[in-house]
């Protein structure tokens, strides 16, 4: 099934069931007021939502059914208890380090990288990316993410996949020119990782059919920049650590609460003909090939679109479609 969150006058919005073709939606406040509430009692709530989903696909009619306009939607979880982003495509990490002449530790291939991101305020899938300065090096990062149920501390990778409830897409906005200074302090990202945005819809794994093998999504992640195709690497290719492995890593020393979001990191293929899902990777390739980066970071007015299509060319999650805009801080 496909679930989304309609904006209203509350922080967490209203839970909606969305039709498979993304054309219609229905608010299901009588079943669960929010997606987090549904995740908190998933075994009881999910079958009821599934019933609504099946009915909506058969006959999208009724006084509560409305046309799905994703400009009016939050990210599926407008805020979350946990947002932990991995770096599962290690060839991407290796490339970035190579461009700056740094050796990559061998353990990066066996022990996942992961950082804890801010999760108190996500952007909606059609919200502007507002930034005070272009000089910060504004970048997109196309990713896939899972939402978990409760995950016990110390869960084994072979069992961790059982706790995946939903999948969605991510634009993990990064401020590249702020990253070096933060990392030099030895305490990790903070200012350089502003609010992320997620796809309009989160889907249960069965919606992906054979493209989901329990750990990876074997479909291209399609990124457009200002209307032009920027990249479409396959999310199931060159993923060194699958989602169960990332979940087990995150839960090694702590339990994860229902509603935890685990990201894949920037989707990247060794086959460079597939393009990239972030500007930094393209810039690194330019540095390696010519000695200088010519691709600029995002500027005000630029538009980013991130989407995943099924084998028939139909959008699965709806598109993240955002414009970069200037922000004036309060005085």
């Amino acid at each position: 099934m496909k679930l989304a969150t309609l904006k209203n006058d509350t922080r967490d919005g209203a839970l909606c069931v969305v039709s498979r073709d993304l054309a219609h939606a229905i608010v299901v406040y009588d079943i669960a007021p929010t997606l987090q509430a549904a995740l908190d009692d998933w075994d009881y709530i999910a079958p009821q939502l599934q019933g609504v989903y099946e009915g909506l696909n058969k006959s999208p009619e009724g006084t509560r059914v409305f046309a799905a306009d994703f400009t009016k939607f939050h990210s599926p979880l407008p805020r979350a208890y946990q947002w932990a982003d991995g770096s599962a495509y290690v060839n991407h990490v290796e490339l970035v380090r190579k461009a700056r002449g740094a050796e990559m530790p061998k353990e990066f291939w066996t022990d996942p990288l992961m950082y804890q991101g801010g999760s108190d305020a996500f952007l909606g899938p059609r919200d502007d990316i507002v930034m005070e300065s272009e000089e910060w090096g504004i970048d997109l990062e196309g990713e896939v993410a899972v939402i978990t149920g409760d995950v016990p501390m110390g869960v084994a990778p072979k069992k961790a996949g059982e706790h995946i409830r939903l999948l969605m897409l991510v634009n993990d906005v990064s401020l590249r020119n702020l990253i070096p200074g933060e990392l030099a302090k030895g305490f990790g990202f903070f200012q350089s990782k502003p609010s992320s945005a997620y796809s309009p819809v989160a889907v249960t794994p069965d919606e992906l059919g054979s493209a989901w093998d329990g750990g990876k999504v074997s479909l291209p992640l399609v990124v457009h920049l200002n209307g032009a195709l920027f990249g479409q690497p396959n999310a199931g290719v060159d993923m060194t650590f699958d989602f169960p492995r990332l979940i087990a890593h995150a839960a090694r020393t702590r339990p994860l609460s229902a509603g935890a979001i685990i990201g894949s990191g920037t989707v990247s293929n060794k086959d460079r003909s597939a393009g990239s899902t972030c500007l930094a990777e393209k810039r690194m390739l330019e540095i390696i090939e010519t000695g200088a980066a010519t691709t600029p970071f995002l500027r005000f007015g630029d538009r980013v679109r991130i989407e995943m299509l099924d084998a028939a060319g139909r959008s699965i999650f709806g598109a993240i479609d955002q414009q970069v805009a200037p922000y004036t801080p309060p005085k």
Side-chain angles (χ1 to χ4, degrees), residues 12-26:
D12 298 303
L15 176 62
C16 296
V17 172
V18 179
S19 60
R20 180 171 286 114
D21 62 6
L22 304 178
H24 299 90
I26 182 170

Side-chain angles (χ1 to χ4, degrees), residues 34-52:
T34 66
L35 180 54
Q36 183 61 54
L39 290 161
D40 286 340
D41 197 11
W42 186 254
D43 289 344
Y44 176 70
I45 296 295
Q48 299 177 63
L49 297 176
Q50 181 66 35
V52 173

Side-chain angles (χ1 to χ4, degrees), residues 101-115:
E103 290 292 327
M104 191 175 77
K106 292 181 180 180
E107 59 267 25
F108 280 22
W109 290 99
T110 57
D111 190 31
L113 290 171
M114 185 170 285
Y115 81 92

Side-chain angles (χ1 to χ4, degrees), residues 1-3 17-25 50 53-54 56-58 60 70 201 203-204 206-209 310 314-318:
M1 61 185 158
K2 300 189 176 187
L3 303 176
V17 172
V18 179
S19 60
R20 180 171 286 114
D21 62 6
L22 304 178
H24 299 90
Q50 181 66 35
Y53 182 62
E54 292 172 0
L56 185 61
N57 288 325
K58 290 177 182 177
F70 292 136
V201 167
V203 310
T204 48
D206 60 288
E207 287 293 323
L208 296 167
D310 65 16
R314 296 167 298 205
S315 183
I316 299 170
F317 302 90

Side-chain angles (χ1 to χ4, degrees), residues 26-313:
I26 182 170
V27 176
V28 286
Y29 52 80
D30 52 329
I31 298 176
T34 66
L35 180 54
Q36 183 61 54
L39 290 161
D40 286 340
D41 197 11
W42 186 254
D43 289 344
Y44 176 70
I45 296 295
Q48 299 177 63
L49 297 176
Q50 181 66 35
V52 173
Y53 182 62
E54 292 172 0
L56 185 61
N57 288 325
K58 290 177 182 177
S59 179
E61 301 173 352
T63 57
R64 290 168 55 188
V65 176
F66 60 95
D69 176 0
F70 292 136
T71 63
K72 298 179 180 179
F73 281 63
H74 282 295
S75 285
L77 283 171
R79 53 180 176 167
Y81 292 119
Q82 181 73 263
W83 158 230
D85 198 15
S87 193
Y89 300 86
V90 180
N91 71 91
H92 170 77
V93 181
E94 185 178 43
L95 178 67
V96 171
R97 294 179 70 91
K98 180 180 179 181
R100 65 173 192 258
E103 290 292 327
M104 191 175 77
K106 292 181 180 180
E107 59 267 25
F108 280 22
W109 290 99
T110 57
D111 190 31
L113 290 171
M114 185 170 285
Y115 81 92
Q116 190 173 41
S119 59
D120 55 323
F122 296 132
L123 299 177
R126 304 295 166 86
D127 291 350
D128 286 346
I129 301 168
V130 292
M131 289 293 153
E132 188 176 341
S133 174
E134 293 177 338
E135 299 305 312
W136 289 346
I138 308 165
D139 200 357
L140 67 145
E141 286 194 63
E143 306 184 13
V144 181
V146 297
I147 303 175
T148 75
D150 290 316
V151 180
M153 182 170 66
V155 67
K158 64 181 180 180
K159 299 290 289 183
E162 298 174 5
H163 303 283
I164 295 172
R165 299 289 179 259
L166 298 163
L167 294 98
M168 54 187 180
L169 306 182
V170 191
N171 182 12
D172 180 38
V173 181
S174 296
L175 304 177
R176 299 296 182 185
N177 293 339
L178 300 186
I179 288 176
E182 286 206 302
L183 294 184
K185 295 178 181 179
F187 232 47
F189 304 121
F190 196 83
Q191 291 179 341
S192 54
K193 288 290 188 177
S195 297
S196 298
Y198 299 86
S199 52
V201 167
V203 310
T204 48
D206 60 288
E207 287 293 323
L208 296 167
S210 61
W212 174 250
D213 66 0
K216 303 176 184 179
V217 182
S218 293
L219 288 169
L221 184 63
V222 184
V223 175
H224 285 84
L225 178 58
N226 295 325
L229 181 64
F230 186 75
Q232 47 184 349
N234 193 303
V237 175
D238 301 320
M239 189 180 191
T240 306
F241 305 107
D242 64 11
F243 280 111
R245 181 71 178 84
L246 293 175
I247 293 168
H249 181 83
R252 183 184 180 190
T253 61
R254 73 183 79 184
L256 303 179
S257 294
I261 304 172
I262 305 295
S264 67
T266 306
V267 175
S268 177
N269 290 171
K270 292 178 182 178
D271 177 5
R272 301 305 174 191
S273 67
S276 301
T277 65
C278 76
L279 293 165
E281 181 171 285
K282 186 172 182 180
R283 286 168 60 88
M284 293 306 104
L285 286 168
E286 292 168 348
I287 290 171
I288 291 169
E289 292 171 5
T290 68
T294 58
T295 297
F297 288 120
L298 296 174
R299 293 171 176 159
F300 298 143
D302 284 345
R303 181 169 290 279
V304 173
R305 184 180 178 92
I306 301 172
E307 195 167 20
M308 184 172 278
L309 309 178
D310 65 16

